[in-house]
Amino acid sequence: MIYAIVEAGGKQIWVKPGRFYDINKVTANPGDRITLDRILFFRNNDKLMLGQPCIPNIYAKCKVLKHIRGRKITVFKMKPKKNMQSKNGHRQEMSRILVESIKTQTS
């Protein structure tokens, strides 16, 4: 089983090849290929690699599928006895990426 823990968009995500994930929006068009090179942990069957903080020469090749918006979050603030209420919403901009492979860089 091949998997890696990748830092993308300020979050750490456990990724496997052939699956898609939602991360914070990246500046790429749908259909573009991107590489995630901040690999924190890598496992290839019985071989384990741990970065300090990142592992050099390993990257994940990904394809941007589409840009989406996350679930709506309602922010409600109220101060009792002051007649103050505030209701706002927020939807995070996200990108759906497909992890095609996790490879070592040959130089």
Side-chain angles (χ1 to χ4, degrees):
M1 179 166 68
I2 298 172
Y3 65 88
I5 298 177
V6 177
E7 183 179 330
K11 296 181 181 179
Q12 295 177 3
I13 306 166
W14 180 335
V15 297
K16 291 182 180 181
R19 294 192 180 186
F20 66 88
Y21 300 92
D22 295 336
I23 62 171
N24 286 339
K25 189 170 183 177
V26 295
T27 56
N29 295 324
D32 290 350
R33 295 204 176 354
I34 60 171
T35 59
L36 302 175
D37 56 354
R38 294 197 43 92
I39 308 292
L40 306 174
F41 179 83
F42 176 69
R43 179 176 181 193
N44 187 359
N45 296 328
D46 57 347
K47 184 179 177 185
L48 302 173
M49 297 177 75
L50 183 64
Q52 301 176 14
C54 297
I55 304 171
N57 302 328
I58 294 183
Y59 61 95
K61 292 183 83 171
C62 305
K63 180 180 179 182
V64 178
L65 298 177
K66 62 181 175 178
H67 297 297
I68 57 174
R69 297 182 78 191
R71 289 182 43 223
K72 182 154 189 171
I73 297 172
T74 303
V75 180
F76 183 74
K77 297 179 181 179
M78 183 181 104
K79 292 190 179 176
K81 302 177 202 161
K82 303 294 181 195
N83 198 18
M84 195 285 283
Q85 292 181 349
S86 166
K87 184 176 179 181
N88 295 314
H90 176 73
R91 292 184 73 182
Q92 185 70 30
E93 298 287 331
M94 305 178 97
S95 295
R96 180 162 287 171
I97 60 168
L98 172 70
V99 178
E100 295 175 333
S101 63
I102 302 172
K103 295 185 176 182
T104 59
Q105 199 173 43
T106 57
S107 50

